[in-house]
């Protein structure tokens, strides 16, 4: 087994640890993004604002929920969507709490069927974008509101693409396993047929020799008295 395969096995054996590492990375990205001012005088700039305490709490809650994204993906989506909607309404300037909802939506889309992905994806996009446009402090046409719409759509689309790819790979594996089983069954059938043919040939040879012995014994009994030699 190669190094890549061993790494995959270790990661598959510790999904909770992997999700915890992902949650920590998402939290770090959200905190780093909360220092960015997208509406500065010279465009996007760093280190010009301090995250609001409520935004830090919401980012932490959203990241903590991602630790359990594989065990309860829909519940995690509901929790991250709620904290993201709260930030969309009260955040000014807004922190990137919606990143956790995008990850949760990706997880749901990659682990469920396409109709469910459409329903939950459209619901998440509508709620978050509607909260940002209608309840937030920014104008409805602000680029931050459009970004929420775009990122939630990307999360749902990417998750659905991953699910489709997994389904294709699984279908290929199933076909390969069926073909392997068919080859094994064909080999066993041919072995059984060859054994049956050998048994029939052996039966014919033995029957022929027994018939010959019987004929010879009958002839011997007939001429025993006249020609004992």
């Amino acid at each position: 087994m190669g190094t890549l395969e061993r790494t995959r096995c270790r990661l598959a054996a510790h999904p909770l640890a992997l999700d915890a590492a992902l949650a920590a990375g998402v939290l770090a990205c959200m905190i780093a993004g909360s220092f960015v001012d997208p509406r500065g005088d010279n465009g996007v700039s760093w280190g010009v604002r301090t995250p609001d305490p409520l935004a830090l709490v919401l980012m932490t809650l959203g990241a903590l929920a991602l630790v359990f994204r594989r065990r309860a993906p829909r519940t995690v989506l509901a929790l991250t969507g709620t904290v993201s909607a709260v930030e969309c309404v009260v955040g000014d300037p807004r922190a990137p709490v919606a990143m956790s909802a995008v990850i949760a939506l990706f997880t749901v889309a990659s682990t469920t069927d396409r109709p469910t992905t459409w329903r939950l994806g459209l619901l998440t996009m509508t709620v978050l974008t509607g909260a940002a446009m209608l309840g937030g402090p920014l104008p409805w046409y602000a680029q931050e509101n459009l970004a929420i719409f775009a990122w939630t759509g990307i999360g749902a689309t990417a998750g659905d693409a991953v699910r489709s790819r997994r389904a294709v790979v699984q279908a290929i594996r199933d076909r390969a396993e069926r073909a392997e089983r068919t080859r094994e069954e064909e080999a066993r059938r041919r072995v059984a047929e060859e054994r049956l043919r050998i048994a029939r040939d052996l039966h014919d040879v033995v029957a022929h020799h027994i018939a010959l012995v019987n004929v010879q014994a009958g002839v011997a009994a007939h001429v025993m008295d006249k020609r004992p030699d």
Side-chain angles (χ1 to χ4, degrees):
M1 182 180 293
T3 304
L4 181 59
E5 291 297 329
R6 289 196 296 270
T7 302
R8 289 179 177 175
C9 291
R10 287 196 295 269
L11 292 178
H14 304 284
L16 189 62
L18 181 61
D19 289 338
L22 174 64
V26 172
L27 179 60
C29 292
M30 290 191 294
I31 292 177
S34 64
F35 285 93
V36 178
D37 184 7
R39 301 190 305 276
D41 295 335
N42 298 320
V44 177
S45 56
W46 288 83
V48 296
R49 66 186 177 98
T50 302
D52 185 76
L54 178 60
L56 290 175
V57 172
L58 295 176
M59 286 186 288
T60 303
L61 291 176
L64 287 176
L66 292 179
V67 177
F68 307 98
R69 68 188 185 96
R70 299 188 195 217
R71 296 186 177 183
R74 299 189 187 189
T75 302
V76 171
L77 177 60
L79 292 174
T80 55
T82 299
V83 296
S84 300
V86 171
E87 176 63 19
C88 289
V89 173
V90 302
D92 188 23
R94 186 179 299 158
V97 182
M99 184 182 298
S100 61
V102 172
I103 300 297
L105 182 58
F106 169 85
T107 303
V108 170
S110 63
T111 55
T112 187
D113 56 275
R114 182 162 294 172
T116 303
T117 298
W118 274 98
R119 291 195 300 269
L120 295 180
L122 290 175
L123 178 62
T124 304
M125 293 169 62
T126 302
V127 170
L128 295 185
T129 306
M133 289 183 173
L134 303 178
L138 301 177
W140 69 268
Y141 52 83
Q143 62 179 359
E144 289 89 339
N145 299 337
L146 300 179
I148 291 177
F149 178 84
W151 279 109
T152 50
I154 291 174
T157 303
D160 184 71
V162 169
R163 180 197 56 77
S164 299
R165 181 180 179 278
R166 288 175 181 170
V168 171
V169 172
Q170 186 61 41
I172 293 175
R173 289 177 178 174
D174 292 341
R175 286 197 297 268
E177 292 177 357
R178 286 195 298 268
E180 183 66 22
R181 288 195 299 268
T182 301
R183 285 194 295 269
E184 292 176 355
E185 292 173 357
E186 180 67 17
R188 287 194 295 268
R189 185 184 63 81
R190 291 183 178 181
V191 170
E193 291 178 351
E194 183 65 17
R195 289 176 177 174
L196 181 59
R197 185 189 65 79
I198 294 174
R200 287 174 178 173
D201 292 344
L202 182 60
H203 175 271
D204 294 341
V205 171
V206 172
H208 173 73
H209 282 78
I210 291 176
L212 182 61
V213 168
N214 187 37
V215 171
Q216 291 175 346
V219 172
H222 180 69
V223 300
M224 180 65 71
D225 296 334
K226 296 180 179 181
R227 298 175 59 187
D229 57 323

